[in-house]
Amino acid sequence: PQLLRNLFLHDQRPESRRYDYYDLLVDCWDAGFLVKTEDFLNPEAPLTFGYLGLDDDLLDVEGKYRVGENTEITRDNIKNAFIPLVMLETRRVAINGMLEGLTLADTIDLNLIFRHYPKEVVNKVLFNNPEVRMEDIFPLNPEYDIALSLHATETTNAGTFDPVANDICYSNMKLFIEDTLPSVFEILSGKSDTFLSDFVYYVTGTPYVPYLEANPNWKIKVEFSLNMTSEFLPAAATCDNCLQVPFCVYDNDKEVICKKFESAMKNGKKAGFGMN
């Protein structure tokens, strides 16, 4: 997780002034310690914690997390007290073991080597494949919900199974994954050298693909949504590395799909992290 990369490679603890508060929240969410809600970055909203593996003595009778005997965790003290204690100190044995392995028993000073390099450079060189290739993205992992496709057809009654409509819908989705989308990506990659990395960033929140040998389960999923019509732009759920498209797949019209992706990714860049 980025939280540990900052600690190991930049000697940057959570309570450090150099660690931006909102960057810290995002890194904790990425590590699974915080839940990303709609008002996640709203300073007035309460934070929702994920699974932390906390001992019972860190909880009060109402189930609220506390740093000490009488200190309730708030947005004001999470950076200086809660995160250093719960996310680092309680895991000191494991963290020290990881650090010992990375530094070959302290024979390598990681901070000395990497502290002058921006985080983006370190992440790209050490933890990701520096080049995004078509073969890293395809084949995508489609999620077909064929049985529900009948609800969106005009020729069937809601709740009535129509195998013909089902087969047509499935065939269109399969064509979209196996032919249309790769062709669209070839076209858009010809227009922009950064299209593939921009797409990966749009869907996953990071512009790089991890080394697949070390992350064999990493995939980008495609979800065909019944709640989206052809008027909708493709959407992304970065928590799940998921691309969401209408179940009609824009009639597999490559020209239309190119324009849809260009608009969606342009809007995504403007929206930033808060876009889901």
Side-chain angles (χ1 to χ4, degrees), residues 98-265:
M98 293 172 60
L99 191 57
E100 183 176 355
L102 289 171
T103 61
L104 300 180
D106 294 329
T107 59
I108 299 175
D109 190 336
L110 295 178
N111 287 312
L112 181 63
I113 297 173
F114 294 109
R115 65 186 175 190
H116 298 299
Y117 291 88
K119 296 177 187 175
E120 293 78 10
V121 174
V122 174
N123 286 339
K124 185 173 183 178
V125 173
L126 293 185
F127 297 98
N128 298 278
N129 191 333
E131 179 184 7
V132 179
R133 304 166 300 176
M134 286 283 287
E135 55 264 36
D136 295 332
I137 299 176
F138 293 96
L140 295 167
N141 185 26
E143 292 191 352
Y144 300 112
D145 199 352
I146 307 305
L148 292 177
S149 66
L150 55 93
H151 289 287
T153 63
E154 297 179 356
T155 56
T156 61
N157 296 321
T160 302
F161 182 76
D162 185 338
V164 175
N166 234 38
D167 289 344
I168 293 174
C169 188
Y170 174 80
S171 297
N172 287 337
M173 293 176 182
K174 193 169 184 291
L175 178 64
F176 178 80
I177 289 293
E178 296 181 357
D179 178 74
T180 304
L181 202 56
S183 297
V184 165
F185 277 30
E186 290 282 2
I187 294 170
L188 295 177
S189 294
K191 291 183 177 182
S192 170
D193 293 338
T194 64
F195 170 75
L196 290 180
S197 60
D198 290 343
F199 170 76
V200 172
Y201 177 74
Y202 178 67
V203 177
T204 69
T206 176
Y208 314 119
V209 172
Y211 287 109
L212 298 182
E213 293 81 0
N215 299 272
N217 295 324
W218 185 92
K219 289 182 180 178
I220 292 177
K221 297 186 293 184
V222 178
E223 179 181 292
F224 300 96
S225 174
L226 289 165
N227 297 319
M228 299 170 67
T229 68
S230 59
E231 302 300 317
F232 281 65
L233 296 175
T238 56
C239 299
D240 300 318
N241 292 353
C242 183
L243 174 69
Q244 299 167 332
V245 296
F247 82 101
C248 65
V249 293
Y250 307 109
D251 296 325
N252 280 297
D253 187 320
K254 296 176 184 178
E255 183 177 351
V256 169
I257 295 172
C258 282
K259 293 179 179 178
K260 293 286 187 180
F261 269 104
E262 288 176 324
S263 297
M265 291 165 60

Side-chain angles (χ1 to χ4, degrees), residues 32-35 47-52 65 73-74 78 82 87:
F33 295 127
L34 293 176
V35 177
L47 290 168
T48 303
F49 297 94
Y51 174 74
L52 299 172
Y65 295 109
I73 299 164
T74 66
I78 186 173
F82 177 64
M87 300 184 186

